[in-house]
Amino acid sequence: MINLVPRKEIPLRLTLMTTGIAVALTLVAGAGIFAILGYDPLAALYQFFIAPVSRGYQIADLFVKACPLIIIASGLVFSYRANVWNIGAEGQMIFGALFSGYVALYWGGMPAPLLLPVMILAGMLGGLVWAMIPAILKTRFNTNEILVSLMLTYVAALFIDWTVRGPWRDPMSFGFPLTPMYPDAGLISKVDLPGVGRLAQLHWGVVGALLLAVVAWFVLRHTMVGFQVKVMGDAPRAGRFAGFRPALVTILVLSISGGAAGLAGMVEVSANIGQLQPNISFGYGFTAIIVAFLARLNPMAVIIAGLVVALAEMGGDAAQIAMGIPKVVTGVFKGILLFMLLAGETFNRYHVEFRLPGAAARAAAKEGSGA
Amino acid sequence: MNGSPSPPEPALSTPLLAASGIFKHFGDFTANDDVSFQIEEGEIHALLGENGAGKSTFVKMVYGLLQPDAGSLEWRGEQIAIRSPQHARDLGIGMVFQHFSLFQALTVAENIALALPGDESLEDLAARVRQMSTDYGIGVDPDARIHNLSVGEQQRVEIVRCLLQDPSLLIMDEPTSVLTPQETTQLFEVLRRFSENGVAILFISHKLEEIRSLTRRATVLRRGRNVGTVDSASKSSKQLAEMMVGGSVGDIDRQARPDSEPDILFEVRGLDRPPTTAFATPLRGLSFAARAGEILGIAGIAGNGQDELMEALTGEWTGRGRDVIRIDGRDVTADGPARRRQCGIGFVPEERNGHAAVPGMTLADNALLTSHSLGGTVGRGVIDSAACREMAAAVSRDFDVRLPQDNPMASALSGGNLQKFVVGREISKRPKVFIVSQPTWGVDVGAALFIRRAMLELAEAGSAVVMISQDLEEIFAISHRVAVLHDGVISTPMVTAEVTAETVGLLMGGSMPLDGAPDMDKGEAGDTA
């Protein structure tokens, strides 16, 4: 007999342990898959997790890759803590890129120091606007935010495709679906420290992302906004009793997570691409969901989780180049990781008891006769 | 009592059921710890104990729902293992649960047919039900549909269903918790008739007066252990309570309500609330007022609008109109809970877990839950966690909340301790008005006493207390005035000292027009003028 007994408290040590075991089991399962596919498992794991960071500049790249994941996941944490399931960060990211792109392309003439700040605000606004659709539909008509936010992602992807092929296309692009390049004032510059010089592709957006995660942690942990979010997620009835309004909290967390995703879209384009194109994201909005859960919905841990997941992404490229392992294996890896994490969550919440039928009775009988 | 009480000596004949040395563990928790117990044929035997003392666990083993980890059961002198409820029924053990399992849309006869083996025709069955109904004076109409029956009537259907299987032992789990005093009296008459016909009844309760009036012997469980089988009638309620608790139980004295008419601190005038779901009770034209220095009890059977009323009072639901709800003269009809608290009101809803408190959060966070709008805990949106922790510690100290560790999660506290915390959290703010629903539901005797004292002290200090309670003993123990909520309508409040439990019981059952109630007693309603 196996009994699951709910734990009254979840010690931090246990959470760290189950997370570690989940990652380890993911590696074991991954090695098994490589072996089945006919690759040397150890060499493949090396390509996946060590080769991508074996040189200094690659570590900078790792941070660049993790940047959008950290920004988006920092926002998603609020949503998931409140039990609001925003699955559409990918679409919100695209709209952040679109809004900020509009500012860069059509209002680029404004005083140079203003352009980036306005683009940042526009990016956040774009993601927020796109997240408001599921927010309003949920609070007004009680629709399911998972479905609505997910489906809107495809709408957003098609919309940006249309804009860059149609109205916003650069007439000089020789028919390629690209907008003109952003003006220089609209680009996020690389980190270039006096005395140190440039750190490969490391840009100021990465620094912003790290700061954002810290701010998110503070807000969630130490402010009334965070308290409301946590209470509504844990015990909505107690939240109403406290005087919090469920609809407002839903709108709030979708604003935060949408705004963060929009910001990520703006940063990604302004720092790495420099113009809008049909694909600006490569699934960051979805991958960030895994990051948020790997971090156990703690924004501080999102930084580490973002780096780990970014490493797996880069490893997928490295393994493909070095060993010809198909890139889709990266997706399998991510899936296994999420599965292991969720399974680990069961062990966090419940204490497992193994009992042979009758064994307990015998033990008790012994106790009883002794008494 | 039926006849004179006989001594609690075991009879010479073999007992109907004898349990010895029963153990049952759930994880680290020992629910039954060496429980031994005997019941004679035709005996009405009480199983008494606080919530969590192991009563339900024990009877579930007798009914085959659980298997003991150790110990033996003897049925008519033969050692047996009761494998399943079906096996129990075959042996002649029937059980009426606290929560009924009846199909609302079907008739009484149809419901009973579903539970019986064989393919007796509905007509034959209906005839048997009618026969039994007249034999025992149960009053069950086989053709009635369940949803038209009162809770007491539904319970009788459950009893008839058990009886048709001709049991020699009938187990009843807290049968009176859903009944009015009148229904309880009727139930007891029926049970006594069964007993005369040789059916033994194992009656589980924690209501001491009932046990003393109905049963011959009582077995008392405390923390899973049998602390003795006693002659029920020879012990006072207080002695039984002390056996249950394992220590001395104090008394509380309600002070007489002041003769003058102090200020009205809380007033509800014409509160209407349409039903929000198909199962909600609409509130219709509720009006009452609570004055400084008094506890106003609102009695009623569960499901008569208590939840809806509490939500309307806390502000979790807000209606339209003006001056429907006033705190110390201030109109709060349109305000939510946070704003109402700012006016000096404290609330404790019925459900501790997930409504009054967040189980997965610390006591400091739970202190913040109802004080964030009052200042001192939050500055510019940033939580002062030291202040919250201090507040939680002060409440725990002043209200005798026993903590397993410093600032634990709410879920780590026992029911009684958590209830003391959520009550203390509000009372320590010295609210002008304190509104509480089922303040001692599912709480051990010691904690219940503590909570009731705290409410009386608050009232003596000049606050107004509104207490919604299903527990008539509680209403009569501490409330100065009592109003009855029935089917979403409230009676005019009556002075508790001047009404009888029968009057209140009739109102609870809806057998009297609510506004006609005060005339039945010579007691004057406090606010009719």
Side-chain angles (χ1 to χ4, degrees), chain A residues 8-9 218 222-224 227 230-231 234-235 237-238 240-244 353 355 361 364-365 367-368, chain B residues 23 25 27 69-70 316 337 341 347 349 354-355 358 361 365 369-370 372 378 381-383 405 409 411:
Chain A
K8 289 192 167 165
E9 282 198 58
F218 181 82
H222 290 290
T223 70
M224 275 313 285
F227 185 69
K230 288 181 286 185
V231 170
D234 271 17
R237 218 169 157 212
R240 276 199 300 279
F241 174 64
F244 307 149
E353 285 185 348
R355 275 203 172 167
E367 232 172 82
Chain B
F23 282 86
H25 304 269
D69 290 339
E316 286 165 78
R341 284 191 191 100
F347 308 103
H355 195 186
V358 185
M361 286 189 164
D365 282 344
L369 199 66
T370 60
H372 60 87
V378 182
V382 177
I383 297 163
Q405 69 194 75
M409 298 256 195
S411 58

Side-chain angles (χ1 to χ4, degrees), chain A residues 76-77 80-81 85 220 289 291-299 302:
Chain A
L76 286 180
V77 162
Y80 300 159
R81 274 289 180 98
W85 301 97
L220 195 61
I289 298 170
V291 172
F293 276 97
L294 180 60
R296 302 289 180 187
L297 304 184
N298 176 340
V302 156

Side-chain angles (χ1 to χ4, degrees), chain B residues 99 153 286 315 418 524:
Chain B
H99 302 285
E153 288 166 326
L286 266 54
L418 185 55
E524 287 303 313

Side-chain angles (χ1 to χ4, degrees), chain A residues 137-197:
Chain A
L137 288 177
K138 181 179 174 70
T139 50
R140 286 263 144 190
F141 305 108
N142 204 19
T143 59
N144 183 319
E145 75 277 14
I146 299 178
L147 288 176
V148 176
S149 64
L150 177 63
M151 292 193 296
L152 282 173
T153 296
Y154 302 106
V155 177
L158 291 170
F159 190 76
I160 193 173
D161 196 81
W162 171 73
T163 28
V164 297
R165 288 174 202 279
W168 292 8
R169 190 172 68 187
D170 183 0
M172 316 292 282
S173 71
F174 305 103
F176 284 107
L178 296 168
T179 64
M181 291 298 291
Y182 287 3
D184 284 350
L187 298 177
I188 294 173
S189 54
K190 307 281 185 260
V191 174
D192 190 358
L193 296 175
V196 182

